[in-house]
Every structure is written in C-alpha cells, then in structure tokens.
Amino acid sequence: MVNIIWMIMIIIGIIFAMLNGKMGEVNEAILTSADEAISIVIGLTSILIFWLGMMKIAEGAGLLNKLSALLSPAVKKLFPEIPANHPAMGYILANFSANLFGLGNAATPLGIKAMKEMKKLSQSDKASNSMITFLVINTSSITLIPTTVIGIRLQYGSTNPTEIVGVTLIATVITTISALIVDWIFRQKRRRWE
C-alpha cells in the first residue's frame, strides 16, 4: 500500500512539474539528491559498522548480558505472557539493547524474530498483548545514543553533533511512558471486550 501511495505522489509531482514548466528543476533535484543519498549511505554505513563492532565487543565483554539482566525484570513485567527463558524474551532484550544505542537497522531483524517467536507462542493470527506492547515500545523509539542522527549531523558539518543526546533522552522518556500508558489503557479495554 505504501508503494502505491509513493508512486501516486511521484506521478502527481511529475505531472505538476510538467504543467508548470519545472521539469528541469525536477531533473536537477533528482540527480543532486541521488548523489547526496549515496554520500549519506556511505557515511551511515561506516557509523553502523563502528557501532555494530562496539556491540560485538560489548557482547564479548559480557556487557550486553549485564544490560539484558538489568532490563530483564522490567521486560518480564511488560510481557507477563512470555516465559522467562523463551527465545522471544531474548530477542526482545536484544532488540531493546540495539535500539538503546540508536542502532535501529540492527534492531529491526531482532524485532522481526521476536515477533515471530511471540506469534508461535500465541498460536493465533491475531496480535497478542505482548506483540502489541512490543510494537508500541518500538514505535515510541527507545534511544539513549542516537547514533544515526549524530552521524547525519556529523556529515552535514555540525559543530556539535552530539548536542541532541540530552533532548533525545527527554523525548525517549516522554514517548515511552506515554506509549506504555496508552497500551495499558487499551489493554484494559481489550480485557473488558473479551
């Protein structure tokens, strides 16, 4: 569906540019933005590789296990339907850890695996409470270090690319708490409907 929406927007934009005699500007923008996109991808790839390497070092040093153990009690309360040693719990903790370090690209495959494991656990085609809570938390964007945004700011010549860390922490706390409150409210309503 999203592909169709994007295609419609592109077609409307091209038709509008043709009718207003702005095709030259559209072509220039396409070529310029394509070049810029490649530069950003290369820059972000190096940052992603660096942080994935740091995560691997942290994993080897046992820091991720300690972080998982630290987060485990809270995660067990958020997902009471999932047994403690179930693979879904491991994927959820790994996803949260990657997101905390701003590695959304690395967190996505872990999130997909967590969802698959939760679906196996629920044995239903409908989203379980745990799946909904997991999606809500991921949508709220839990991040301590926004490495991707720092990388983009660095590429565009920011004099202090890390100045957004404090604001990111405030935003993370507000959005995550708000998301959990909304999830709790709707979970209560779902229980009444059942």
Side-chain angles (χ1 to χ4, degrees):
M1 185 66 181
V2 174
N3 291 338
I4 294 169
I5 293 170
W6 277 109
M7 187 56 66
I8 291 169
M9 289 173 52
I10 290 169
I11 291 169
I12 290 170
I14 290 172
I15 291 170
F16 186 78
M18 286 170 38
L19 294 174
N20 290 316
K22 305 270 185 184
M23 266 322 274
E25 293 174 19
V26 170
N27 288 335
E28 184 180 332
I30 289 171
L31 295 174
T32 304
S33 61
D35 182 46
E36 194 172 320
I38 296 297
S39 298
I40 291 172
V41 166
I42 291 170
L44 291 178
T45 301
S46 63
I47 291 165
L48 183 63
I49 290 169
F50 170 76
W51 282 104
L52 286 174
M54 292 299 282
M55 288 279 285
K56 197 69 174 165
I57 291 169
E59 182 182 12
L63 293 175
L64 288 183
N65 289 337
K66 289 178 184 173
L67 180 63
S68 292
L70 182 71
L71 293 175
S72 186
V75 172
K76 285 178 187 173
K77 287 186 184 208
L78 289 171
F79 304 99
E81 301 92 10
I82 301 175
N85 294 328
H86 195 274
M89 194 62 78
Y91 288 127
I92 289 169
L93 288 165
N95 172 273
F96 287 173
S97 299
N99 275 322
L100 285 172
F101 292 108
L103 300 172
N105 293 336
T108 300
L110 297 168
I112 292 169
K113 288 179 181 178
M115 283 294 212
K116 285 181 180 177
E117 290 296 327
M118 286 187 276
K119 184 173 179 169
K120 285 181 195 173
L121 194 61
S122 73
Q123 297 177 347
S124 171
D125 287 337
K126 291 184 178 181
S128 66
N129 287 334
S130 295
M131 293 169 82
I132 294 168
T133 301
F134 182 68
L135 184 63
V136 164
I137 291 170
N138 270 281
T139 304
S140 74
S141 185
I142 54 170
T143 305
L144 294 178
I145 305 167
T147 54
T148 304
V149 177
I150 290 170
I152 291 171
R153 289 173 55 87
L154 191 64
Q155 272 193 294
Y156 281 99
S158 174
T159 56
N160 189 2
T162 59
E163 71 184 349
I164 60 163
V165 172
V167 176
T168 302
L169 289 172
I170 293 168
T172 292
V173 169
I174 291 170
T175 59
T176 303
I177 289 172
S178 300
L180 289 173
I181 289 169
V182 169
D183 179 59
W184 181 81
I185 290 168
F186 278 97
R187 191 179 283 217
Q188 299 307 312
K189 286 184 179 184
R190 282 192 303 269
R191 282 188 186 142
R192 280 188 231 137
W193 293 335
E194 291 174 352

XYZ file of all heavy atoms in Angstrom, residues 34 74 108 124 126 149 158 166 184:
63
model
N 20.158 12.176 -5.505
C 20.707 10.824 -5.646
C 22.171 10.794 -5.221
O 22.602 9.890 -4.499
C 20.561 10.337 -7.083
N 12.106 -5.591 34.288
C 11.121 -4.679 33.706
C 10.459 -5.312 32.489
O 9.237 -5.202 32.304
C 11.787 -3.362 33.317
N 16.060 -4.018 13.877
C 14.913 -4.472 13.088
C 14.861 -5.988 12.917
O 13.821 -6.596 13.181
C 14.879 -3.750 11.728
O 14.779 -2.353 11.960
C 13.709 -4.212 10.886
N -1.908 -17.862 17.262
C -3.089 -17.187 16.728
C -2.659 -16.253 15.606
O -1.506 -15.820 15.545
C -3.763 -16.383 17.841
O -4.774 -15.563 17.304
N -4.124 -13.388 15.293
C -4.314 -12.056 15.862
C -3.091 -11.669 16.682
O -2.410 -12.528 17.252
C -5.546 -12.027 16.762
C -6.848 -12.175 16.017
C -8.005 -12.049 16.971
C -9.328 -12.157 16.234
N -10.454 -12.020 17.146
N 21.406 9.732 13.899
C 21.208 11.175 13.815
C 22.527 11.908 14.043
O 22.838 12.892 13.350
C 20.134 11.640 14.828
C 19.969 13.147 14.801
C 18.810 10.955 14.544
N 27.943 19.665 11.384
C 27.531 20.213 12.674
C 28.750 20.409 13.562
O 29.629 19.549 13.632
C 26.545 19.269 13.357
O 26.234 19.708 14.656
N 20.904 14.906 25.041
C 20.045 15.264 26.173
C 18.581 15.351 25.783
O 17.700 14.819 26.469
N -1.475 0.346 28.181
C -2.147 -0.162 29.370
C -3.643 0.131 29.305
O -4.469 -0.737 29.614
C -1.527 0.449 30.626
C -2.160 -0.058 31.881
C -1.900 -1.234 32.529
C -3.194 0.591 32.627
N -2.710 -1.359 33.635
C -3.516 -0.248 33.724
C -3.876 1.785 32.481
C -4.482 0.082 34.654
C -4.847 2.118 33.419
C -5.133 1.271 34.490
